mmCIF file with all atom_site columns, all heavy atoms in Angstrom:
data_model
loop_
_atom_site.group_PDB
_atom_site.id
_atom_site.type_symbol
_atom_site.label_atom_id
_atom_site.label_alt_id
_atom_site.label_comp_id
_atom_site.label_asym_id
_atom_site.label_entity_id
_atom_site.label_seq_id
_atom_site.pdbx_PDB_ins_code
_atom_site.Cartn_x
_atom_site.Cartn_y
_atom_site.Cartn_z
_atom_site.occupancy
_atom_site.B_iso_or_equiv
_atom_site.pdbx_formal_charge
_atom_site.auth_seq_id
_atom_site.auth_comp_id
_atom_site.auth_asym_id
_atom_site.auth_atom_id
_atom_site.pdbx_PDB_model_num
ATOM 1  N N   . GLU A 1 242 ? 10.683 21.665 3.164  1.00 93.00 ? 464 GLU A N   1
ATOM 2  C CA  . GLU A 1 242 ? 10.081 22.521 4.185  1.00 93.00 ? 464 GLU A CA  1
ATOM 3  C C   . GLU A 1 242 ? 11.123 23.437 4.817  1.00 93.00 ? 464 GLU A C   1
ATOM 4  O O   . GLU A 1 242 ? 10.866 24.627 5.047  1.00 93.00 ? 464 GLU A O   1
ATOM 5  C CB  . GLU A 1 242 ? 9.419  21.653 5.258  1.00 93.00 ? 464 GLU A CB  1
ATOM 6  C CG  . GLU A 1 242 ? 8.697  22.451 6.327  1.00 93.00 ? 464 GLU A CG  1
ATOM 7  C CD  . GLU A 1 242 ? 8.061  21.574 7.374  1.00 93.00 ? 464 GLU A CD  1
ATOM 8  O OE1 . GLU A 1 242 ? 8.141  20.337 7.237  1.00 93.00 ? 464 GLU A OE1 1
ATOM 9  O OE2 . GLU A 1 242 ? 7.493  22.115 8.343  1.00 93.00 ? 464 GLU A OE2 1
ATOM 10 N N   . VAL A 1 243 ? 12.307 22.896 5.103  1.00 93.00 ? 465 VAL A N   1
ATOM 11 C CA  . VAL A 1 243 ? 13.377 23.700 5.694  1.00 93.00 ? 465 VAL A CA  1
ATOM 12 C C   . VAL A 1 243 ? 13.816 24.793 4.728  1.00 93.00 ? 465 VAL A C   1
ATOM 13 O O   . VAL A 1 243 ? 14.042 25.945 5.121  1.00 93.00 ? 465 VAL A O   1
ATOM 14 C CB  . VAL A 1 243 ? 14.567 22.799 6.087  1.00 93.00 ? 465 VAL A CB  1
ATOM 15 C CG1 . VAL A 1 243 ? 15.790 23.642 6.432  1.00 93.00 ? 465 VAL A CG1 1
ATOM 16 C CG2 . VAL A 1 243 ? 14.198 21.914 7.270  1.00 93.00 ? 465 VAL A CG2 1
ATOM 17 N N   . GLN A 1 244 ? 13.921 24.473 3.446  1.00 93.00 ? 466 GLN A N   1
ATOM 18 C CA  . GLN A 1 244 ? 14.329 25.471 2.461  1.00 93.00 ? 466 GLN A CA  1
ATOM 19 C C   . GLN A 1 244 ? 13.308 26.597 2.349  1.00 93.00 ? 466 GLN A C   1
ATOM 20 O O   . GLN A 1 244 ? 13.671 27.780 2.237  1.00 93.00 ? 466 GLN A O   1
ATOM 21 C CB  . GLN A 1 244 ? 14.515 24.794 1.093  1.00 93.00 ? 466 GLN A CB  1
ATOM 22 C CG  . GLN A 1 244 ? 15.669 23.793 1.053  1.00 93.00 ? 466 GLN A CG  1
ATOM 23 C CD  . GLN A 1 244 ? 15.796 23.114 -0.301 1.00 93.00 ? 466 GLN A CD  1
ATOM 24 O OE1 . GLN A 1 244 ? 15.690 23.758 -1.347 1.00 93.00 ? 466 GLN A OE1 1
ATOM 25 N NE2 . GLN A 1 244 ? 16.004 21.810 -0.293 1.00 93.00 ? 466 GLN A NE2 1
ATOM 26 N N   . LEU A 1 245 ? 12.030 26.256 2.379  1.00 94.00 ? 467 LEU A N   1
ATOM 27 C CA  . LEU A 1 245 ? 10.983 27.286 2.296  1.00 94.00 ? 467 LEU A CA  1
ATOM 28 C C   . LEU A 1 245 ? 11.010 28.196 3.514  1.00 94.00 ? 467 LEU A C   1
ATOM 29 O O   . LEU A 1 245 ? 10.836 29.415 3.395  1.00 94.00 ? 467 LEU A O   1
ATOM 30 C CB  . LEU A 1 245 ? 9.615  26.619 2.152  1.00 94.00 ? 467 LEU A CB  1
ATOM 31 C CG  . LEU A 1 245 ? 9.349  25.903 0.813  1.00 94.00 ? 467 LEU A CG  1
ATOM 32 C CD1 . LEU A 1 245 ? 8.019  25.157 0.856  1.00 94.00 ? 467 LEU A CD1 1
ATOM 33 C CD2 . LEU A 1 245 ? 9.375  26.897 -0.343 1.00 94.00 ? 467 LEU A CD2 1
ATOM 34 N N   . ARG A 1 246 ? 11.242 27.613 4.688  1.00 92.00 ? 468 ARG A N   1
ATOM 35 C CA  . ARG A 1 246 ? 11.314 28.434 5.892  1.00 92.00 ? 468 ARG A CA  1
ATOM 36 C C   . ARG A 1 246 ? 12.525 29.363 5.828  1.00 92.00 ? 468 ARG A C   1
ATOM 37 O O   . ARG A 1 246 ? 12.449 30.520 6.258  1.00 92.00 ? 468 ARG A O   1
ATOM 38 C CB  . ARG A 1 246 ? 11.408 27.546 7.127  1.00 92.00 ? 468 ARG A CB  1
ATOM 39 C CG  . ARG A 1 246 ? 10.111 26.832 7.451  1.00 92.00 ? 468 ARG A CG  1
ATOM 40 C CD  . ARG A 1 246 ? 10.158 26.242 8.843  1.00 92.00 ? 468 ARG A CD  1
ATOM 41 N NE  . ARG A 1 246 ? 8.891  25.633 9.183  1.00 92.00 ? 468 ARG A NE  1
ATOM 42 C CZ  . ARG A 1 246 ? 8.416  25.508 10.409 1.00 92.00 ? 468 ARG A CZ  1
ATOM 43 N NH1 . ARG A 1 246 ? 9.125  25.994 11.417 1.00 92.00 ? 468 ARG A NH1 1
ATOM 44 N NH2 . ARG A 1 246 ? 7.259  24.925 10.657 1.00 92.00 ? 468 ARG A NH2 1
ATOM 45 N N   . ALA A 1 247 ? 13.643 28.847 5.329  1.00 92.00 ? 469 ALA A N   1
ATOM 46 C CA  . ALA A 1 247 ? 14.840 29.679 5.217  1.00 92.00 ? 469 ALA A CA  1
ATOM 47 C C   . ALA A 1 247 ? 14.604 30.835 4.259  1.00 92.00 ? 469 ALA A C   1
ATOM 48 O O   . ALA A 1 247 ? 15.030 31.974 4.511  1.00 92.00 ? 469 ALA A O   1
ATOM 49 C CB  . ALA A 1 247 ? 16.017 28.826 4.747  1.00 92.00 ? 469 ALA A CB  1
ATOM 50 N N   . ALA A 1 248 ? 13.910 30.572 3.162  1.00 93.00 ? 470 ALA A N   1
ATOM 51 C CA  . ALA A 1 248 ? 13.621 31.639 2.189  1.00 93.00 ? 470 ALA A CA  1
ATOM 52 C C   . ALA A 1 248 ? 12.734 32.714 2.806  1.00 93.00 ? 470 ALA A C   1
ATOM 53 O O   . ALA A 1 248 ? 12.943 33.918 2.592  1.00 93.00 ? 470 ALA A O   1
ATOM 54 C CB  . ALA A 1 248 ? 12.951 31.035 0.950  1.00 93.00 ? 470 ALA A CB  1
ATOM 55 N N   . ALA A 1 249 ? 11.746 32.290 3.589  1.00 92.00 ? 471 ALA A N   1
ATOM 56 C CA  . ALA A 1 249 ? 10.856 33.262 4.236  1.00 92.00 ? 471 ALA A CA  1
ATOM 57 C C   . ALA A 1 249 ? 11.606 34.092 5.266  1.00 92.00 ? 471 ALA A C   1
ATOM 58 O O   . ALA A 1 249 ? 11.410 35.318 5.359  1.00 92.00 ? 471 ALA A O   1
ATOM 59 C CB  . ALA A 1 249 ? 9.688  32.523 4.893  1.00 92.00 ? 471 ALA A CB  1
ATOM 60 N N   . LEU A 1 250 ? 12.492 33.452 6.034  1.00 90.00 ? 472 LEU A N   1
ATOM 61 C CA  . LEU A 1 250 ? 13.278 34.176 7.035  1.00 90.00 ? 472 LEU A CA  1
ATOM 62 C C   . LEU A 1 250 ? 14.279 35.121 6.374  1.00 90.00 ? 472 LEU A C   1
ATOM 63 O O   . LEU A 1 250 ? 14.580 36.193 6.901  1.00 90.00 ? 472 LEU A O   1
ATOM 64 C CB  . LEU A 1 250 ? 14.011 33.186 7.942  1.00 90.00 ? 472 LEU A CB  1
ATOM 65 C CG  . LEU A 1 250 ? 13.147 32.444 8.962  1.00 90.00 ? 472 LEU A CG  1
ATOM 66 C CD1 . LEU A 1 250 ? 13.934 31.294 9.595  1.00 90.00 ? 472 LEU A CD1 1
ATOM 67 C CD2 . LEU A 1 250 ? 12.652 33.399 10.043 1.00 90.00 ? 472 LEU A CD2 1
ATOM 68 N N   . LEU A 1 251 ? 14.796 34.723 5.223  1.00 89.00 ? 473 LEU A N   1
ATOM 69 C CA  . LEU A 1 251 ? 15.764 35.551 4.512  1.00 89.00 ? 473 LEU A CA  1
ATOM 70 C C   . LEU A 1 251 ? 15.150 36.885 4.115  1.00 89.00 ? 473 LEU A C   1
ATOM 71 O O   . LEU A 1 251 ? 15.799 37.940 4.210  1.00 89.00 ? 473 LEU A O   1
ATOM 72 C CB  . LEU A 1 251 ? 16.280 34.817 3.284  1.00 89.00 ? 473 LEU A CB  1
ATOM 73 C CG  . LEU A 1 251 ? 17.281 35.566 2.399  1.00 89.00 ? 473 LEU A CG  1
ATOM 74 C CD1 . LEU A 1 251 ? 18.535 35.937 3.195  1.00 89.00 ? 473 LEU A CD1 1
ATOM 75 C CD2 . LEU A 1 251 ? 17.654 34.715 1.190  1.00 89.00 ? 473 LEU A CD2 1
ATOM 76 N N   . ALA A 1 252 ? 13.918 36.855 3.695  1.00 88.00 ? 474 ALA A N   1
ATOM 77 C CA  . ALA A 1 252 ? 13.245 38.094 3.306  1.00 88.00 ? 474 ALA A CA  1
ATOM 78 C C   . ALA A 1 252 ? 13.019 39.003 4.514  1.00 88.00 ? 474 ALA A C   1
ATOM 79 O O   . ALA A 1 252 ? 13.043 40.225 4.396  1.00 88.00 ? 474 ALA A O   1
ATOM 80 C CB  . ALA A 1 252 ? 11.910 37.765 2.648  1.00 88.00 ? 474 ALA A CB  1
ATOM 81 N N   . GLU A 1 253 ? 12.847 38.403 5.691  1.00 86.00 ? 475 GLU A N   1
ATOM 82 C CA  . GLU A 1 253 ? 12.574 39.167 6.905  1.00 86.00 ? 475 GLU A CA  1
ATOM 83 C C   . GLU A 1 253 ? 13.839 39.597 7.627  1.00 86.00 ? 475 GLU A C   1
ATOM 84 O O   . GLU A 1 253 ? 13.892 40.665 8.236  1.00 86.00 ? 475 GLU A O   1
ATOM 85 C CB  . GLU A 1 253 ? 11.698 38.335 7.841  1.00 86.00 ? 475 GLU A CB  1
ATOM 86 C CG  . GLU A 1 253 ? 11.161 39.105 9.032  1.00 86.00 ? 475 GLU A CG  1
ATOM 87 C CD  . GLU A 1 253 ? 10.181 38.274 9.841  1.00 86.00 ? 475 GLU A CD  1
ATOM 88 O OE1 . GLU A 1 253 ? 9.873  37.126 9.415  1.00 86.00 ? 475 GLU A OE1 1
ATOM 89 O OE2 . GLU A 1 253 ? 9.727  38.750 10.896 1.00 86.00 ? 475 GLU A OE2 1
#
Side-chain angles (χ1 to χ4, degrees):
E464 183 180 357
V465 168
Q466 294 178 43
L467 291 174
R468 288 194 176 208
L472 286 168
L473 178 60
E475 189 174 356

